[in-house]
Amino acid sequence: QVQLVESGGGLVQAGGSLRLSCAASGRTFSSYYMAWFRQPPGKEREFVASISWSGDSTNYADSVKGRFTISRDNAKNTVYLQVNSLNPEDTAVYYCAGKMGGGSYSYNRYAYWGQGTQVTVSS
């Protein structure tokens, strides 16, 4: 098991940026495939980005590609999501998640979750 603690959300104006962090406890962190999901108000949870064990392979939703960057530092047991060029449609609760094995775009395949952090983008 791994425990995830998420931070970095907040209120930002359109065009602004944030860096979301997810600190993990547990010695097996480096064995987990990590991802970020988000849930906009009144909508279903959706895939945002994922990163492999080694950090050398990443995937992004089309809606965020070119604006968001996922990264991880296994030595620090931390995964990041840099969110740039934000617009009001990016407003959501952002969650980090982990799973064993390969990656997935489906949220129900991830067994470990952070508490979520609110990102609100004003126009």
Side-chain angles (χ1 to χ4, degrees):
Q1 294 184 343
V2 61
Q3 183 177 5
L4 307 177
V5 180
E6 193 170 332
S7 62
L11 176 64
V12 63
Q13 293 184 346
S17 300
L18 292 169
R19 188 177 72 161
L20 310 183
S21 299
C22 185
S25 63
R27 298 179 180 179
T28 61
F29 171 77
S30 62
S31 299
Y32 290 87
Y33 205 102
M34 301 296 295
W36 288 89
F37 292 80
R38 68 183 183 184
Q39 187 164 16
K43 298 182 179 180
E44 296 182 352
R45 191 171 301 184
E46 64 183 15
F47 172 81
V48 175
S50 64
I51 188 167
S52 63
W53 296 357
S54 64
D56 62 355
S57 180
T58 58
N59 291 281
Y60 296 92
D62 289 341
S63 61
V64 306
K65 190 174 183 179
R67 299 189 297 122
F68 291 9
T69 303
I70 188 172
S71 61
R72 70 189 296 167
D73 188 337
N74 290 339
K76 298 180 179 179
N77 285 351
T78 303
V79 62
Y80 305 95
L81 185 70
Q82 179 70 38
V83 295
N84 298 329
S85 301
L86 290 167
N87 59 66
E89 294 179 345
D90 295 316
T91 295
V93 178
Y94 285 72
Y95 301 91
C96 63
K99 67 182 295 293
M100 292 184 289
S104 176
Y105 297 108
S106 180
Y107 71 90
N108 62 4
R109 296 291 186 265
Y110 288 80
Y112 308 104
W113 293 87
Q115 79 283 5
T117 185
Q118 177 71 47
V119 173
T120 302
V121 185
S122 62
S123 60

